[in-house]
Amino acid sequence: MKTAIIGYGKMGREIEQILRERGHEVALIIDQHNTAELDAAHLAGIDVALEFTTPATAYDNLRTCIAHGVPVVSGTTGWLDRFEELKTFCQEQQGGLFYASNYSLGVNLLFRLNRRLAELVEHSGAAYQVEIEEVHHTQKKDAPSGTAITLAEGILEHLSSKKQWVNFAPIFDVAAYQEKPRHALTEEDLVIRSVREGMVPGIHEVRYENEDESLVLKHTIKHRRTLAMGAVIAAEFMCGKQGIYSMDDLLQ
Ligand SMILES: NC(=O)c1ccc[n+]([C@@H]2O[C@H](COP(=O)([O-])OP(=O)(O)OC[C@H]3O[C@@H](n4cnc5c(N)ncnc54)[C@H](O)[C@@H]3O)[C@@H](O)[C@H]2O)c1
């Protein structure tokens, strides 16, 4: 497989290593200094591109790949307000797009457990307070994490007492987060607490609590290699494909 890596940061470097280990060619690497090379000439002959950049740059990069007929694995989070627009473009162009808010197998199993647990809690009629907490390194540009949003959506789908998520990001310079004053919280708000500390690659917790007990689903990324491996497997899956895919398609 002849690949392009767009975004040569923490994820891009990890992905490069795994691509090479698995016998794939890394024919093009794009980062901030050579963005002009993301063009028809450089993309010619590329089987799949993997995009891990920033919320502000992902959409244009993905669109460029699709416009030039290159299927793309999208990992950047924090740009999904334009996801529908990109899906429409991809369909018009008969392109290939794979998106996952998290490429680790464990997190994708957690997504399924999370939906099932919300369904069970709903049917049990039990009164729990539910809250999500995500912890990431301090360079992360978006909050809440894409993974926490997917978890929240899984809960909102099944738990009728919650109507929308709200984010608490008691932090510094994040590009985009929604904040609601604590006193304005209602029972219908599902709180996602975002914590930014140290070098943490990613911790996600879903907590159901009442006065007497606490039930916790928790996933910890020990090394971002697991994320990069998932993205490379998604790229292998996308080679020669058209259409829009997710981890559910890959896991099936
Ligand atoms: N879906 C997942 O499983 C998953 C896993 C880890 C990280 N992420 C997301 O992937 C993104 C990247 O994460 P990271 O940890 O590698 O970040 P990073 O900051 O280490 O790397 C981002 C890189 O993108 C480069 N860049 C910026 N603008 C660019 C442009 N226009 N074209 C090409 N490159 C550009 C930067 O110079 C940097 O090298 C983030 O949004 C993060 O949240 C997703």
Side-chain angles (χ1 to χ4, degrees):
M1 196 165 73
K2 194 170 170 178
T3 62
I5 295 175
I6 309 171
Y8 198 47
K10 291 182 283 302
M11 282 301 290
R13 284 163 204 269
E14 207 69 49
I15 285 168
E16 179 190 22
Q17 200 176 328
I18 294 172
L19 282 169
R20 295 197 196 280
E21 279 167 19
R22 291 170 75 91
H24 301 303
E25 183 186 347
V26 179
L28 178 66
I29 296 179
I30 302 286
D31 203 87
Q32 257 169 338
H33 65 281
N34 66 337
T35 52
E37 289 179 22
L38 191 65
D39 61 11
H42 289 87
L43 285 171
I46 299 285
D47 294 311
V48 187
L50 298 100
E51 209 278 356
F52 285 77
T53 63
T54 71
T57 52
Y59 176 86
D60 287 344
N61 289 339
L62 296 167
R63 193 180 160 102
T64 303
C65 292
I66 292 168
H68 293 105
V70 177
V72 68
V73 170
S74 161
T76 306
T77 53
W79 63 276
L80 286 191
D81 50 331
R82 301 191 75 183
F83 191 51
E84 288 306 315
E85 200 184 322
L86 191 73
K87 271 164 76 175
T88 305
F89 180 71
C90 185
Q91 279 154 355
E92 284 165 7
Q93 300 285 312
Q94 299 185 333
L97 171 66
F98 192 109
Y99 176 77
S101 61
N102 194 303
Y103 281 92
S104 103
L105 174 63
V107 162
N108 284 279
L109 297 175
L110 174 71
F111 288 153
R112 290 177 177 206
L113 288 171
N114 171 60
R115 287 196 294 262
R116 182 74 183 121
L117 181 58
E119 208 176 2
L120 289 169
V121 169
E122 175 75 6
H123 289 143
S124 74
Y128 288 108
Q129 281 300 326
V130 55
E131 187 164 301
I132 298 171
E133 182 174 285
E134 53 106 349
V135 186
H136 281 89
H137 53 83
T138 50
Q139 291 128 42
K140 186 162 174 62
K141 293 196 169 63
D142 53 321
S145 67
T147 305
I149 294 174
T150 307
L151 287 168
E153 285 168 350
I155 293 170
L156 294 173
E157 220 173 278
H158 295 289
L159 214 58
S160 55
S161 58
K162 298 291 176 194
K163 301 292 183 222
Q164 62 275 318
W165 58 261
V166 295
N167 186 218
F168 285 105
I171 38 172
F172 34 97
D173 184 24
V174 285
Y177 68 92
Q178 301 178 6
E179 187 156 12
K180 195 167 179 178
R182 262 198 186 276
H183 65 264
L185 269 187
T186 75
E187 284 298 312
E188 295 186 340
D189 292 327
L190 170 58
V191 170
I192 305 176
R193 192 188 306 279
S194 296
V195 179
R196 297 290 174 264
E197 62 187 26
M199 308 290 284
V200 180
I203 301 174
H204 289 89
E205 247 183 63
V206 179
R207 275 196 295 269
Y208 287 84
E209 302 225 28
N210 63 25
E211 279 184 2
D212 302 320
E213 56 184 346
S214 139
L215 172 55
V216 180
L217 293 180
K218 179 173 180 179
H219 182 274
T220 304
I221 302 268
K222 289 159 79 176
H223 195 287
R224 50 175 68 78
R225 182 181 164 83
T226 183
L227 299 163
M229 179 63 84
V232 170
I233 291 170
E236 290 167 350
F237 171 86
M238 284 306 288
C239 192
K241 275 206 180 65
Q242 288 178 354
I244 296 160
Y245 299 92
S246 69
M247 285 300 272
D248 278 339
D249 301 305
L250 186 59
L251 292 174
Q252 273 153 29

